[in-house]
Amino acid sequence: MAKNVKSTIGVIAVGIVAVGVVAVGYKVNADRQNEQNVDYVISLIDQEKKQLPEVQKLVDGLYSSDKKVFLKKDLTKEQIDVVSKKLSDIKADNSRLDVKDKKLTQQIEAFNQSKSELGEQISIAQKKLATQNATTDLFSEPITDWEKFDENAYIKADIKDTTVNNAKEQMKNLSDDDWTKILNQYLKSATDQVNQIKSIRKTIEELLPNGVISEQATAEAQANLVAEIEKVKNPEVQAELSASATEIANQLALAAAPVVESTVEQTVESTVESTVESTEPIVETPESTYEEPVYVPETPTYQQPTTPSYQQPVTPVQPTTPSTTPSSQAPVETTPSSETPTSSQGAAVDGAKDTQATNQAS
């Protein structure tokens, strides 16, 4: 009986030892396998870390200098997307083999830190490019040099303040640097121009509501309006606003025109009436309108006077002694010319009287 007990105890002891040996062997094997997995993951990380310098060069190429302040000229969104994808394809973590090791964790964290820094540089480039594109869309001409501010740049004709605010939203979470200073100048210029045009349009609406001048429309107000319009940089908008200012000036001139016309009409009317009254006696007397021609012949020529048909004919007195020249007693009857002046008619009468006296003397 005692032998059987000892035998059983011995078997159990041997079994325990065997289990222990197996357990220790399994643990050793597991540790060895885990170590092999750790080494494998670390080798993968080393390979992927070698790609980071290449991505770093691509990121540096997005900027105009190593300072990474201003973007490269003519940079496009597609170029940034290529670099971003290149970085995202590089992965290093322990999830692939479910490896858990303190040493491996440190390696992965260091790798992810380097990758995150590159990702931040790419993100900043994306935000800066988006802000540049939104800002240049505000102006009539594309902005090609973002390293200096062009004070002559003017906004498009249809830009609203909401559009400018959308461009400002792109600059959120960007640290201040020389680039942000330039962009803020452009955005401020756009804001000022939008507000300037809005103010002028409001003034025009007050002076010219519904296309008709109001009581507020004065020569001084119109002059001030023109002065403000001259400050507008956009020539298209300036021409449009100037047309409204010209319309205000025209309507102001028309509003003042009736007073001047009435004065002129009264002056002309009084002048005409005065002229008519002063000329009435002259019009009623025909002789006053006839100007007697002046004849100054070099050698005066005297013709036989004739008796006009409209004058009383002179009856000759019969001579006591018959004249030997009958032709001298009979006056020659001729038809007077319509152009015979009044002085000629008087001369004819005087000639007839002389002839009568001669005949009586005979």
Side-chain angles (χ1 to χ4, degrees):
M1 185 70 179
K3 291 182 178 179
N4 292 334
V5 172
K6 291 180 179 179
S7 176
T8 302
I9 294 173
V11 171
I12 293 172
V14 171
I16 293 173
V17 171
V19 171
V21 171
V22 172
V24 170
Y26 178 81
K27 183 178 183 304
V28 171
N29 185 57
D31 290 342
R32 184 180 300 169
Q33 182 66 37
N34 185 71
E35 185 177 353
Q36 289 178 351
N37 290 337
V38 169
D39 292 339
Y40 175 72
V41 173
I42 290 177
S43 67
L44 291 177
I45 292 175
D46 290 339
Q47 292 178 5
E48 292 169 341
K49 286 173 63 177
K50 293 178 181 179
Q51 301 179 44
L52 293 181
E54 179 182 354
V55 176
Q56 182 67 65
K57 290 182 179 179
L58 295 176
V59 172
D60 294 343
L62 301 177
Y63 295 86
S64 62
S65 67
D66 294 338
K67 295 180 180 180
K68 298 182 181 65
V69 176
F70 297 100
L71 298 179
K72 181 184 70 173
K73 188 177 181 180
D74 300 330
L75 181 66
T76 63
K77 181 179 180 299
E78 290 72 19
Q79 292 174 336
I80 299 179
D81 291 342
V82 170
V83 180
S84 178
K85 186 177 186 305
K86 184 74 174 178
L87 181 63
S88 62
D89 289 341
I90 302 175
K91 297 179 181 179
D93 55 62
N94 58 354
S95 61
R96 288 171 291 184
L97 298 175
D98 194 22
V99 178
K100 297 180 180 179
D101 185 84
K102 184 177 181 180
K103 180 181 178 181
L104 180 61
T105 301
Q106 293 175 347
Q107 291 285 338
I108 292 175
E109 289 178 353
F111 172 82
N112 287 337
Q113 180 64 27
S114 299
K115 183 179 178 181
S116 177
E117 291 176 356
L118 289 174
E120 181 65 18
Q121 295 175 16
I122 295 174
S123 176
I124 291 174
Q126 290 173 331
K127 290 180 179 180
K128 285 188 173 183
L129 181 62
T131 305
Q132 288 183 180
N133 291 339
T135 302
T136 195
D137 286 342
L138 301 175
F139 294 87
S140 296
E141 298 294 334
I143 301 172
T144 57
D145 188 357
W146 293 97
E147 297 188 19
K148 61 181 180 180
F149 172 65
D150 182 9
E151 60 182 7
N152 295 321
Y154 56 86
I155 62 173
K156 296 177 181 177
D158 57 347
I159 293 301
K160 303 291 187 297
D161 50 0
T162 54
T163 311
V164 179
N165 293 333
N166 291 336
K168 292 180 179 180
E169 288 292 325
Q170 302 292 336
M171 295 187 64
K172 282 188 174 180
N173 302 323
L174 288 175
S175 59
D176 293 336
D177 55 18
D178 292 339
W179 178 88
T180 55
K181 292 178 182 178
I182 300 297
L183 263 293
N184 282 329
Q185 284 182 290
Y186 275 113
L187 293 174
K188 182 179 183 303
S189 175
T191 301
D192 292 343
Q193 292 185 52
V194 168
N195 292 336
Q196 177 191 48
I197 294 173
K198 286 175 60 178
S199 176
I200 293 175
R201 292 189 190 281
K202 181 180 179 181
T203 301
I204 292 175
E205 182 61 27
E206 293 174 352
L207 300 181
L208 194 69
N210 300 321
V212 181
I213 58 174
S214 64
E215 295 181 354
Q216 300 178 8
T218 62
E220 181 180 0
Q222 196 271 345
N224 293 335
L225 175 63
V226 171
E228 290 300 318
I229 293 175
E230 290 177 350
K231 299 177 184 178
V232 175
K233 294 182 178 180
N234 187 302
E236 179 183 350
V237 176
Q238 188 182 75
E240 174 196 344
L241 300 176
S242 296
S244 298
T246 301
E247 178 62 22
I248 294 173
N250 292 339
Q251 292 195 25
L252 286 173
L254 289 175
V259 177
V260 177
E261 290 178 357
S262 176
T263 304
V264 172
E265 289 176 357
Q266 292 175 1
T267 303
V268 172
E269 183 178 354
S270 61
T271 303
V272 171
E273 290 177 354
S274 175
T275 304
V276 171
E277 291 176 357
S278 62
T279 56
E280 283 180 357
I282 300 174
V283 172
E284 292 175 356
T285 306
E287 288 81 4
S288 62
T289 60
Y290 175 80
E291 293 183 0
E292 182 178 355
V294 178
Y295 299 94
V296 187
E298 294 181 358
T299 303
T301 304
Y302 298 94
Q303 297 180 354
Q304 180 68 29
T306 57
T307 302
S309 59
Y310 56 85
Q311 293 184 354
Q312 182 67 31
V314 179
T315 305
V317 179
Q318 295 296 329
T320 55
T321 304
S323 176
T324 56
T325 307
S327 60
S328 62
Q329 297 177 1
V332 180
E333 295 182 0
T334 59
T335 303
S337 173
S338 61
E339 299 179 355
T340 303
T342 306
S343 60
S344 299
Q345 296 173 3
V349 173
D350 293 339
K353 290 180 180 180
D354 292 341
T355 303
Q356 179 180 2
T358 302
N359 291 335
Q360 289 175 355
S362 301

